[in-house]
């Protein structure tokens, strides 16, 4: 394999061209950040309107499980970054290993979140319980779907483990990480 096999190709996307991965992933990332921003904005406004309802709902959540999930996703982001570095160095087998680690941690995040949902549902909390739980389940469920999609994307790019593909998948994965790092304190820790 020659050194040029691992070099980036120019795409003609202007300022997006300098970002890692395919420029179209950045269009997706920016649109997803806007959607999550609206969801989080709605959550914050609703909490300001219904502080007692949100405090009561938040008190039933398991912040310890969410904290574990935060560490899991941050660690998976680190693994994806290591996979990206390996792919850039044309070490495809190492890149696949790191990406597998990121995917495994993502699957663990999903398992913990589903366990947390089961506990909340067992307490009688669902989408229609209160404005808090409506927004909680919609916001965290939307994020959970993105974790699943991120695992699929990482699996696809790990097949060839080429630098541009791995960078594209890792960019999406880092967006998922970043969103959770922002969501965690807003949903679980910040008091009304």
């Amino acid at each position: 394999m020659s050194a040029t096999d691992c070099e980036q190709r120019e795409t003609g996307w202007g300022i997006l061209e300098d970002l890692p991965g395919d420029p179209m992933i950045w269009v997706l990332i920016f649109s997803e950040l806007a959607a999550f921003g609206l969801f989080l904005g709605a959550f914050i406004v609703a909490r300001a309107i219904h502080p007692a309802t949100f405090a009561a709902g938040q008190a039933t959540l398991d912040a310890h499980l969410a904290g574990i999930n935060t560490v899991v996703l941050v660690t998976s982001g680190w693994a994806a970054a290591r996979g990206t570095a390996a792919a850039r160095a044309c070490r495809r087998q190492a890149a696949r290993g790191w990406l597998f680690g990121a995917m495994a941690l993502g699957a663990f995040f999903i398992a913990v979140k589903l366990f947390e949902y089961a506990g909340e549902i067992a307490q009688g909390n669902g989408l229609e319980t209160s404005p808090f739980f409506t927004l909680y389940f919609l916001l965290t469920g939307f994020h959970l779907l993105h974790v699943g999609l991120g695992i699929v994307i990482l699996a696809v790019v790990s097949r060839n483990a080429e630098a541009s593909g791995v960078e594209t998948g890792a960019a999406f994965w880092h967006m998922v990480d970043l969103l959770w790092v922002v969501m965690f304190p807003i949903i679980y820790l910040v008091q009304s």
Side-chain angles (χ1 to χ4, degrees):
M1 177 176 303
S2 71
T4 58
D5 290 338
C6 288
E7 292 178 8
Q8 291 287 81
R9 295 182 300 265
E10 291 196 22
T11 60
W13 282 78
I15 62 168
L16 292 180
E17 186 173 277
D18 293 331
L19 295 171
D22 189 283
M24 278 307 293
I25 199 68
W26 290 97
V27 172
L28 175 65
I29 287 170
F30 294 141
S31 67
E32 293 297 321
L33 289 175
F36 273 99
L38 290 172
F39 263 135
L40 284 170
F43 187 91
I44 291 167
V45 168
R47 178 172 46 208
I49 295 169
H50 306 285
T53 301
F54 273 65
Q58 186 183 47
T60 67
L61 298 181
D62 191 334
H64 292 98
L65 285 179
I68 289 167
N69 260 350
T70 302
V71 172
V72 166
L73 267 190
V74 169
T75 305
S76 74
W78 173 77
R82 298 290 300 163
T84 301
R88 286 180 183 153
C90 292
R91 295 180 17 247
R92 291 184 177 174
Q93 196 61 26
R96 285 184 193 101
W98 285 111
L99 293 177
F100 177 77
M103 289 183 282
L105 289 166
F108 185 76
F109 177 94
I110 290 172
V112 170
K113 193 68 194 152
L114 293 176
F115 178 79
E116 185 181 357
Y117 282 163
E120 291 155 3
I121 291 167
Q123 292 178 25
N125 297 316
L127 274 172
E128 297 179 2
T129 303
S130 70
F132 172 82
F133 280 105
T134 299
L135 290 169
Y136 165 78
F137 280 113
L138 289 175
L139 189 56
T140 59
F142 193 47
H143 180 265
L144 191 63
L145 288 174
H146 281 75
V147 173
L149 177 60
I151 291 170
V152 170
I153 290 170
L154 291 179
V156 169
V157 301
S158 71
R159 289 189 64 215
N160 294 327
E162 294 175 353
S164 64
V166 173
E167 287 173 347
T168 300
F172 184 87
W173 194 249
H174 292 313
M175 176 204 65
V176 171
D177 292 346
L178 173 67
L179 288 169
W180 184 256
V181 168
V182 171
M183 289 169 52
F184 169 61
I186 291 172
I187 295 172
Y188 291 87
L189 303 178
V190 174
Q191 300 292 315
S192 302

